[in-house]
């Protein structure tokens, strides 16, 4: 995936982000750099602004102040339509739960981003099945998300996030509701798929064992990213 | 950690000589400190002295002559007793990290800075272990030992996170007073 | 309600005091339940109040319709009624009015049923929580029944408070039958509401975990619906027959046939809507490449009965409306051609206008129920929708899926209902054909089109809510 990218120039970078919900500040001048192809863990206590940072970086939330630039594009200057398109094509999103549509089959859930991109039903279905197989979800394509275990559902969510070949995957507590073995399967699958496809991952988690799948860790406290950035 | 019992356990699958025992130990306990050959030798002699193991003969096998050992019935019984006995759950808290934080607080040092640095080191080690564990073709012993180490490092980290939070709290209270 | 009635082992465990407690226990417990019901309603969010308010409004409408029908039913022979341009004077025409009022009850009841769905997930979770905390199944049922029953009581009291002065103003000395009818309706509506509230809870009551674990549900109309329809038909026919003991019994065959056709059509409509929803859902879900259609189709196939009640009411209104427009055209033609009318023209046109107004009111109620249903379906899944938008699914697609959920199953059903209504209208044309060539009432075909468009508009009123629901703020609460 590295076309003419300089490894020193981050793929996604944010400076001086502030964001408040009502009177509660969630971010107070947070900054972060995500390089192409790396897995970066954002850890910190609950309420430290991890999820809000992820939302700002993914263009889901517009920060009150500060800049987010992705591959030279300033997200604050983009209209909502372009942000949605970015999230559909260049970004993949995985949440703790809730990103699968309960009424759609597992296969259709994974195929949905492709359908939104204008791909035909048959092709999209086939591509979805391939990705499901890569994540070890086999023979369950016709089930609904409610019929899956938590770990399986998260692997389906990963397949949905990666099916469009995104350059950045945003994962917000992807193992938050899982036990340690299911977490391990999900994280191994995520790390492997990201490395194979060259996607960068921004991994928000409060769990050190999950964060250990990353190449690097930054910590958040009180809405800022602490200066500690120890590179592996 | 009882080297005697581990050697007895390795002998349970059949007679073995000292070098073979050391090699199998390092294989089975990949993340443990490797056994010194001399330690294997002295431990085997003590087992024979206590009647828990005995010499089974010698094995030349083309190379230098080596003594084969096997477990006695007493040895098997002792192994079974040890394996079934529970380990005392953390009777004493003697940990270097804990000690350093307490000393830093007592001597007016910077425990928070120490905890941050220690966290970085812990995370680096956890990343290594995770890489070892998830490498394709990792065998069960490797996965189990990595799991064990990861869980313990995670426990350390949690204690360190809580402690860092408590220190911030404490400082805030002192400042407010 | 006797203490320990059907409570079994749980009941005795909760009512620790044993026999001594049993004597006065029931009153105490009812008081506790009331307090609990009140505390729960007061502490809950706005949606609960919406449900209570709308339920009360629906109950008021139902009480009003039923009381008017009962009072009219109490009249014997000819009267001089100051309302309705002489339409209420004769038993024959009065029967028609009664039938219309009873028919108007169908959409009203549908509306009340729809109101029960507002915040249903939240409410069920709350009551399941009560069960987990140790409440007995009966206690939970009583609390739920009290909630609905009190809302209905409020509605029925308001309606009665209006009905009695009006009645006294119009009818100087109402007979005993009228008073009895009024009382029975005023008391019956809250009781029915309470029973319905308790029955609706059977799933939650079955297990304390009930709806906390969200199972895929397959709600489908059971024999209850059929029974209700049959009962309703029987009551209507009996009412007609009773008031029809006037001078012109023969002239009533037409309305009775129409009424029967409507009741049968209504019952069939529920099944028709469910079946079309399932069929269109399955067919489209398997083939479409359009994400919005896919989402809507899978939702329909998953729970085709979700909107069946409201949609069935839509169909009924369509059938009646289309049929009415046809009949009206023919009747006006007949009247204009008739040289020797028994009464002046107003007598007939007022009847027609009143019927039109009733159908219009029914349509409004149905549309309101549809809008409420759509908004409710959005509100319950707003977190999931927010996640979809966060993952890049355009709001436009979700909005289209929402509209398609109404549009897809209704299109074939409304078409069929329109044809049914046309058949009624055309049939009436032939029945009244006395040699002169009557035109087929093509104008009636505009009714299904109009109803369909109104339904889409009603569903579209939820689109602003969708825009508010998918705010990323929803993602912050897991």
């Amino acid at each position: 995936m590295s076309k003419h990218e300089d490894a020193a120039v981050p793929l996604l970078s944010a400076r001086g982000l502030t964001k408040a919900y009502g009177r509660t500040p969630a971010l107070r001048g947070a900054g972060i750099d995500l390089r192409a192809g790396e897995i970066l863990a954002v850890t910190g206590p609950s309420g430290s602004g991890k999820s809000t940072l992820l939302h700002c970086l993914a263009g889901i939330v517009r920060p009150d102040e500060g800049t987010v630039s992705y591959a030279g594009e300033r997200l604050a200057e983009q209209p909502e339509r372009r942000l949605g398109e970015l999230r559909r094509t260049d970004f993949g999103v995985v949440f703790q739960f809730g990103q699968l549509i309960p009424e759609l089959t597992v296969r259709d859930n994974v195929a949905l981003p492709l359908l939104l991109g204008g791909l035909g039903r048959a092709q999209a279905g086939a591509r979805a099945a391939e990705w499901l197989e890569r994540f070890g979800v086999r023979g369950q394509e016709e089930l609904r998300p409610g019929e899956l275990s938590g770990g399986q559902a998260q692997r389906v969510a990963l397949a949905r996030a990666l099916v469009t070949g995104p350059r950045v995957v945003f994962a917000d507590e992807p193992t938050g509701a899982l036990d340690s073995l299911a977490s391990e399967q999900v994280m191994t699958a995520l790390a492997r798929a990201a490395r194979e496809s060259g996607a960068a991952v921004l991994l928000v988690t409060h769990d050190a064992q999950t964060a250990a799948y990353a190449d690097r860790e930054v910590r958040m406290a009180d809405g800022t990213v602490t200066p500690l950035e120890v590179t592996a | 950690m009882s080297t005697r019992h581990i050697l007895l356990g390795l002998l349970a699958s059949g007679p073995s000589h000292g070098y073979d025992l050391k090699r199998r130990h390092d294989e089975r306990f990949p993340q443990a400190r490797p056994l010194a050959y001399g330690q294997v030798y002295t431990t085997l002699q003590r087992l024979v002295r206590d009647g828990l193991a005995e010499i089974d003969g010698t094995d030349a096998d083309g190379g230098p002559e080596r003594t084969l050992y096997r477990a006695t019935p007493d040895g098997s019984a002792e192994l079974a007793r040890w394996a079934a006995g529970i380990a005392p759950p953390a009777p004493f808290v003697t940990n270097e990290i804990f000690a350093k934080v307490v000393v830093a607080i007592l001597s007016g040092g910077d425990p928070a800075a120490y905890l941050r640095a220690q966290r970085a080191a812990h995370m680096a080690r956890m990343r290594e272990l995770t890489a070892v564990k998830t490498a394709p073709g990792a065998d069960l012993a490797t996965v189990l030992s990595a799991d064990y180490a990861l869980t313990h490092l995670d426990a350390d980290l949690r204690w360190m996170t809580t402690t860092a939070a408590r220190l911030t709290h404490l400082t805030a209270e002192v400042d407010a007073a | 309600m006797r203490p320990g009635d059907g409570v079994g082992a749980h009941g005795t465990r909760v009512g620790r005091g044993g026999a001594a407690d049993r004597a006065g226990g029931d009153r105490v417990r009812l008081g506790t339940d009331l307090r609990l019901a009140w505390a729960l309603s007061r502490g809950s969010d706005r949606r609960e109040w919406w449900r209570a308010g709308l339920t009360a409004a629906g109950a008021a409408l139902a009480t009003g319709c039923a009381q008017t029908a009962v009072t009219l039913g109490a009249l014997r022979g000819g009267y001089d009624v100051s309302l309705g341009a002489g339409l209420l004077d004769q038993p024959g025409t009065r029967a028609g009015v009664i039938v219309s009022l009873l028919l108007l009850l169908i959409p009203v009841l549908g509306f009340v049923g729809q109101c029960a769905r507002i915040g249903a997930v939240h409410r069920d979770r709350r009551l399941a929580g009560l069960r987990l905390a140790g409440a007995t199944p009966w206690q939970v049922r009583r609390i739920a029944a009290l909630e609905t029953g009190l809302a209905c009581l409020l509605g029925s009291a308001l309606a009665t408070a209006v009905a009695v002065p009006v009645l006294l103003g119009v009818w100087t000395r109402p007979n005993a039958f009228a008073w009895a009818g009024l009382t029975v309706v005023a008391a019956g509506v809250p009781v029915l509401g309470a029973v319905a509230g308790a029955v609706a809870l059977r799933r939650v009551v079955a297990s304390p975990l009930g709806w906390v674990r969200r199972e895929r549900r397959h709600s489908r109309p059971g024999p209850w619906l059929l029974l209700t329809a049959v009962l309703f038909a029987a009551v209507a026919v009996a009412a007609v027959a009773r008031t029809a003991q006037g001078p012109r019994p023969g002239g009533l065959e037409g309305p009775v046939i129409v009424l029967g056709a409507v009741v049968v059509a209504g019952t069939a409509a529920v099944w028709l809507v469910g079946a079309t929803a399932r069929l269109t859902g399955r067919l489209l879900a398997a083939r479409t490449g359009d994400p919005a259609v896919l989402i809507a189709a899978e939702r329909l196939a998953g729970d085709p009965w979700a909107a069946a009640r409201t949609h069935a009411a839509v169909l009924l209104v369509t059938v009646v409306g289309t049929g009415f427009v046809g009949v009206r055209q023919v009747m006006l033609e007949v009247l204009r051609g008739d040289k020797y009318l028994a009464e002046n023209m107003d007598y007939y046109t007022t009847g027609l206008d009143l019927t039109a107004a009733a159908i219009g009111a029914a349509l409004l109620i149905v549309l309101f129920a549809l809008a409420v249903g759509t908004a409710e379906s959005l509100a319950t899944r707003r977190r999931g929708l927010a996640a979809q938008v966060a993952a890049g699914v355009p709001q436009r697609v979700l909005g289209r899926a929402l509209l398609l959920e109404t549009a897809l199953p209704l299109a074939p059903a409304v078409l069929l209902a329109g044809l049914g209504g046309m058949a009624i209208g055309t049939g009436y044309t032939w029945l009244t054909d006395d040699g002169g060539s009557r035109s087929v009432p093509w104008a009636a075909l505009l009714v299904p089109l109009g109803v369909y468009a109104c339904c889409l508009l009603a569903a579209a009123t939820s689109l602003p809510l969708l825009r508010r629901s998918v705010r990323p703020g929803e993602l912050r609460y897991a």
Side-chain angles (χ1 to χ4, degrees):
Chain A
M1 265 243 171
S2 53
K3 292 162 205 162
H4 45 79
E5 276 150 10
D6 187 352
V9 177
L11 176 62
L12 182 68
S13 118
R15 289 292 175 270
L17 295 182
T18 64
K19 175 79 193 172
Y21 292 105
R23 278 196 220 159
T24 319
L27 292 179
R28 314 188 214 208
I32 198 167
D33 284 327
L34 181 69
R35 294 188 280 266
E38 78 166 336
I39 304 181
L40 172 63
V42 179
T43 61
S46 22
S48 58
K50 303 187 295 285
S51 292
T52 306
L53 177 65
L54 180 140
H55 291 161
C56 287
L57 292 175
I60 298 170
V61 163
R62 287 180 191 270
D64 297 338
E65 280 168 47
T67 57
V68 178
S69 36
Y70 163 70
E73 196 174 338
R74 292 203 159 201
L75 296 195
E77 290 156 15
Q78 303 303 326
E80 202 54 50
R81 180 182 297 268
R82 168 68 183 146
L83 293 180
E85 185 189 321
L86 268 181
R87 294 203 296 271
R88 212 154 49 240
T89 55
D90 287 37
F91 300 163
V93 190
V94 185
F95 297 118
Q96 188 169 344
F97 47 74
Q99 67 271 45
L100 299 178
I101 299 183
E103 290 86 7
L104 296 191
T105 62
V106 162
R107 188 212 310 272
D108 286 341
N109 259 299
V110 177
L112 187 66
L114 299 174
L115 293 176
L116 288 168
L119 205 64
R121 183 76 184 272
Q123 268 177 297
R127 280 260 290 279
E130 266 170 48
W131 275 92
L132 283 168
E133 178 139 5
R134 280 180 74 168
F135 284 109
V137 184
R138 214 172 305 166
Q140 285 152 327
E141 291 89 347
E142 296 303 321
L143 297 184
R144 316 279 149 165
E147 296 166 300
L148 300 177
S149 70
Q152 284 171 332
Q154 279 311 69
R155 280 182 281 148
V156 173
L158 284 179
R160 173 170 164 177
L162 282 151
V163 72
T164 51
R167 294 176 74 192
V168 186
V169 174
F170 294 94
D172 192 353
E173 300 280 7
T175 60
L178 304 180
D179 65 31
S180 52
L181 277 185
S183 298
E184 182 181 301
Q185 286 181 336
V186 166
M187 286 313 300
T188 307
L190 171 59
R192 194 168 294 162
R195 299 216 193 284
E196 280 170 14
S197 61
V201 179
L202 188 99
L203 171 66
V204 162
T205 179
H206 69 279
D207 176 41
Q209 296 203 48
T210 301
Y213 284 84
D215 304 316
R216 199 158 70 90
E217 180 198 19
V218 294
R219 273 188 77 69
M220 286 198 75
D222 294 328
T224 54
V225 177
T226 52
L228 157 112
E229 271 213 29
V230 181
T231 325
Chain B
M1 198 54 178
S2 161
T3 313
R4 295 156 56 82
H5 292 107
I6 287 169
L7 289 185
L8 272 176
L10 291 170
L11 283 175
S13 57
S16 200
H17 53 75
Y19 180 75
D20 190 37
L21 286 172
K22 177 208 157 32
R23 191 179 51 75
R24 277 166 59 207
H25 169 271
D26 294 351
E27 216 174 83
R28 291 286 165 193
F29 301 93
Q31 307 294 326
R33 189 176 292 133
L35 273 185
Y37 181 69
Q39 195 189 353
V40 175
Y41 185 71
T42 47
T43 310
L44 282 172
Q45 279 182 334
R46 272 187 216 138
L47 287 174
V48 172
R49 182 198 65 200
D50 297 342
L52 301 176
E54 60 195 6
I55 294 171
D56 189 55
T58 53
D59 165 27
D61 202 19
E65 196 168 275
R66 286 178 294 198
T67 316
L68 281 171
Y69 293 87
R70 68 156 183 252
T72 62
D74 275 1
S76 303
E78 169 61 16
L79 178 66
R81 190 195 58 76
W82 175 79
I86 57 155
F92 309 107
V93 177
T94 50
N95 179 285
E96 199 180 337
I97 301 172
F98 170 65
K100 284 185 171 173
V101 170
V102 172
V103 167
I105 293 170
L106 289 178
S107 64
D110 188 353
Y114 165 69
L115 283 172
R116 277 200 298 276
Q118 187 66 53
R119 180 187 169 90
H122 261 61
M123 283 306 301
R125 177 70 180 140
M126 284 179 78
R127 280 194 285 273
E128 271 173 39
L129 288 164
T130 303
V132 166
K133 182 174 82 164
T134 54
D139 63 4
L140 181 65
T142 306
V143 172
L144 291 184
S145 67
D147 271 347
Y148 184 85
L150 277 168
T151 316
H152 278 77
L153 288 170
D154 193 15
D156 280 353
L157 271 180
R158 281 184 207 195
W159 177 79
M160 281 154 40
T161 310
T162 314
T163 305
R166 275 194 212 284
L167 288 175
T168 320
H169 221 68
L170 212 67
T171 321
E173 268 174 30
V174 170
D175 288 353
Chain C
M1 218 178 291
R2 282 181 291 115
D5 186 19
V7 175
H10 296 288
T12 40
R13 210 176 299 144
V14 169
R16 261 250 187 269
D21 180 48
R22 287 274 177 102
D26 210 26
R27 208 175 317 135
V28 174
R29 245 187 261 163
L30 196 68
T32 314
D33 291 350
L34 251 174
R35 264 202 306 280
L36 260 176
W38 175 245
L40 285 170
S41 307
R42 213 181 34 176
S44 46
D45 59 7
R46 267 195 326 214
R47 262 183 293 162
E48 302 284 306
W49 289 106
W50 269 105
R51 183 176 65 235
L54 290 174
T55 308
L61 276 175
T63 312
C65 286
Q67 282 180 338
T68 317
V70 163
T71 314
L72 290 178
L75 293 174
R76 298 287 182 133
Y79 276 89
D80 186 16
V81 181
S82 59
L83 292 173
L87 205 63
L88 303 174
D89 296 354
Q90 292 303 314
T93 46
R94 218 155 50 215
V97 174
I98 292 174
V99 169
S100 317
L101 284 170
L102 289 180
L103 285 180
L104 207 53
L105 265 182
I106 299 179
V108 169
L109 291 179
F111 174 69
V112 173
Q114 193 60 56
C115 291
R117 288 176 76 95
I118 303 177
V121 173
H122 175 72
R123 197 253 322 246
D124 288 355
R125 214 170 269 182
R126 199 184 70 199
L127 291 174
L130 270 180
R131 279 281 282 132
L132 270 178
T136 64
W138 267 109
Q139 206 172 3
V140 170
R141 270 204 194 108
R142 276 204 301 262
I143 291 172
L146 278 173
E147 278 185 3
T148 327
L150 287 179
C152 288
L153 182 66
L154 179 69
S156 104
L158 285 175
T160 312
V162 175
V164 171
V166 169
L167 176 67
L168 289 175
V170 178
W171 192 356
T172 34
R173 295 197 57 140
N175 61 16
F177 189 85
W179 284 120
L182 276 189
T183 320
V184 166
V185 170
V189 166
V191 169
L192 275 179
V195 169
V199 167
L201 266 181
R202 57 193 186 279
R203 282 197 200 81
V204 184
V205 173
S207 118
L209 289 173
W211 286 76
V212 179
R213 292 170 59 86
R214 291 184 70 181
E215 298 135 20
R216 257 159 65 76
R217 43 191 257 269
H218 298 276
S219 56
R220 51 185 309 149
W224 283 105
L225 186 73
L226 191 65
L227 194 71
T228 318
V230 169
L231 263 178
F232 198 83
V235 168
V237 169
V240 168
R242 216 187 77 81
T243 18
Q245 292 158 359
R248 287 163 43 201
L252 269 170
E253 276 165 15
V256 171
I257 291 169
V258 170
L259 176 77
V262 164
V263 170
V264 170
T267 318
V270 175
W271 269 280
L272 179 71
V273 166
T276 39
R278 185 195 297 263
L279 191 69
T280 39
R282 284 206 183 142
L283 286 177
L284 284 172
R287 282 166 188 76
T288 182
D290 182 329
V293 176
L294 177 66
I295 293 171
E298 285 284 17
R299 279 181 58 80
L300 288 175
D303 193 1
W305 305 103
R309 270 172 298 185
T310 325
H311 287 180
V314 169
L315 294 199
L316 216 53
V317 169
T318 311
V319 172
V320 173
T322 315
F324 168 74
V325 170
V327 170
R328 181 174 184 275
Q329 185 183 326
V330 175
M331 275 181 79
L332 286 179
E333 275 178 39
V334 173
L335 290 172
R336 290 203 187 98
D338 214 333
K339 298 287 180 296
Y340 30 88
L341 287 173
E343 308 260 348
N344 66 11
M345 192 70 173
D346 276 358
Y347 172 81
Y348 300 100
T349 48
T350 306
L352 286 174
D353 289 350
L354 273 181
T355 318
I359 293 173
L363 180 64
L364 270 182
I365 294 169
V366 164
L367 289 177
F368 200 59
L370 194 69
V372 166
T374 318
E376 169 57 16
S377 121
L378 261 184
T380 47
R381 53 199 169 104
R382 57 178 189 268
R383 192 184 178 276
L385 291 172
Q388 295 309 316
V389 171
V393 179
Q395 276 187 29
R396 184 166 38 82
V397 170
L398 295 176
R400 271 183 55 219
L402 188 75
L403 288 184
L404 283 169
E405 259 181 71
T406 304
L408 287 178
L410 271 185
V414 165
L415 181 71
L416 215 60
L419 289 179
M422 271 304 277
I424 293 176
T426 317
Y428 189 75
T429 312
W430 289 334
L431 275 178
T432 55
D433 205 344
D434 46 4
S437 60
R438 302 230 185 277
S439 51
V440 177
W442 293 114
L445 274 183
L446 287 176
V447 172
L449 279 178
V451 169
Y452 191 66
C454 288
C455 286
L456 290 189
L457 280 178
T461 54
S462 288
L463 289 179
L465 183 67
L466 172 72
R467 216 159 297 137
R468 277 197 297 145
S469 297
V470 297
R471 278 178 316 182
E474 291 291 339
L475 293 171
R476 300 178 64 221
Y477 313 102

